Amino acid sequence: MTEQVDLNADMGESFGPWVMGRDDDILGVVTSANIACGFHAGDPSVMAETIRVAHTHGVGIGAHPGFPDLQGFGRRRMQMGREDLQAAIRYQVGAIQGVARAQGATVRHFKLHGALSNMCSENEAMARACYEAALSVDPDLIIFILAATAQQKAVEALKCRWAGEIFADRAYNDDATLVDRAREGAVIYDPAHAASRIVKMVQAGAIIAESGAHIPARIDTICLHGDNAAALQIARTVRAGLETAGIRLAPVGT
C-alpha cells in the first residue's frame, strides 16, 4: 500500500470576469495545483493570482497545458503537427514559469489537460513529444502521467522524473483510460463514493475499473476536478478518507 500520496486539482481556469471553480477553497485542501496556461483556460492575471494563493498555502505548483481551444475548454480533440504541438507546450510552460518566478515561486510539475492528455494516454509517440518539449524548457519537472497508459511508457522511455496519477471523480475503462465524458457515469459526483473508491485503489495499488477489474498501477497523486458543483465536498471527503486510512498527504517529491 502507498503510504503517502499527493492530492492535485486543476486550477486557474477562470477568464476575465468569468469565474470557474472554487480555487481559493480547494487550495486549502489539495497539496498540488495544476494551473492553466492560457490556451484552454485562464489568462495572465488569473494565472498570477492562482500562483500567489497556491504559494501562500505551500501547495506545489504545476503547468497544465492544453490544446489552443478556449471555446471548447480543451476538451475537443485536435490534430497538430509534432513541431507545432511542441512549440505550444514550450510556450505554455515558459509562460507559467515566468509568472511564477516573478512571485518567488517555482513550477515543480507538468500535467497535460483534457483532450490532449486523453490522446497522449493512447499514443506513446504523442506523449513523448509533449514531455520532451516540456523537459527541454525545464529538465527537472516532475511529469504527472495517467498511470498504466501510453503516457507511462513515454516517461519510462525518457527516464525522467514522473508521478503516476489516478482520478477521484472519473470512471475508468479496463485499459486504464478514462470513460468518455459523454457517457453516463463518467464523472462521479457523490463525495462518499469518490472517497471510498480512492482509498480502495490506494490500498490495492491498482486502478479499479467500472467493470471491477484491477489494473496494477503506481499511485503517487490523485486528481480532484474543481469544475463541478460537488468539487469542494469531494475534495474534503477524499482527503478525510485518506487520512482516516493512515495515508499521509504531501506534494510529490517531498
Side-chain angles (χ1 to χ4, degrees):
M1 184 185 83
T2 302
E3 296 180 353
Q4 175 179 307
V5 293
D6 172 52
L7 282 183
N8 77 75
D10 301 344
M11 300 279 173
E13 295 172 336
S14 299
F15 189 84
W18 179 63
V19 177
M20 186 165 190
R22 300 179 63 177
D23 288 5
D24 286 0
D25 291 329
I26 292 178
L27 279 167
V29 180
V30 299
T31 51
S32 288
N34 320 306
I35 300 175
C37 302
F39 271 34
H40 75 276
D43 62 40
S45 296
V46 168
M47 184 190 294
E49 177 62 11
T50 308
I51 289 171
R52 184 192 69 78
V53 178
H55 189 47
T56 299
H57 281 280
V59 170
I61 294 166
H64 194 40
F67 280 132
D69 179 27
L70 278 175
Q71 186 180 21
F73 195 63
R75 289 179 176 162
R76 299 184 292 194
R77 294 189 173 217
M78 299 178 67
Q79 301 300 320
M80 297 179 69
R82 178 185 173 89
E83 290 186 3
D84 286 343
L85 179 58
Q86 289 192 313
I89 293 294
R90 293 187 183 105
Y91 185 99
Q92 293 177 82
V93 173
I96 191 171
Q97 283 198 324
V99 175
R101 189 172 296 123
Q103 300 192 60
T106 301
V107 177
R108 302 182 68 253
H109 70 272
F110 171 95
K111 175 187 166 181
L112 295 171
H113 168 80
L116 178 55
S117 179
N118 290 337
M119 291 173 73
C120 288
S121 74
E122 303 159 3
N123 186 325
E124 181 182 347
M126 185 177 183
R128 183 161 180 164
C130 290
Y131 301 153
E132 285 177 340
L135 293 167
S136 71
V137 178
D138 183 354
D140 293 325
L141 287 171
I142 301 170
I143 308 297
F144 282 18
I145 58 95
L146 294 180
T149 69
Q151 292 186 15
Q152 183 167 334
K153 294 179 181 178
V155 290
E156 289 175 341
L158 288 170
K159 301 185 186 306
C160 59
R161 300 173 71 197
W162 63 275
E165 177 186 58
I166 62 172
F167 287 80
D169 53 5
R170 293 295 308 278
Y172 279 93
N173 298 308
D174 285 356
D175 63 355
T177 59
L178 299 173
V179 173
D180 191 287
R181 282 179 177 267
R183 289 182 52 191
E184 185 177 354
V187 180
I188 295 164
Y189 296 101
D190 180 350
H193 177 50
S196 174
R197 68 193 287 273
I198 281 298
V199 170
K200 289 176 182 175
M201 289 188 197
V202 173
Q203 290 175 333
I207 291 166
I208 302 175
E210 286 303 281
S211 67
H214 281 54
I215 307 157
R218 174 174 142 183
I219 301 172
D220 300 300
T221 186
I222 298 162
C223 180
L224 302 156
H225 285 100
D227 60 345
N228 68 63
L232 181 58
Q233 190 56 45
I234 288 175
R236 288 172 172 164
T237 306
V238 167
R239 178 166 185 139
L242 290 166
E243 290 176 333
T244 298
I247 300 163
R248 180 173 176 265
L249 301 175
V252 169
T254 60

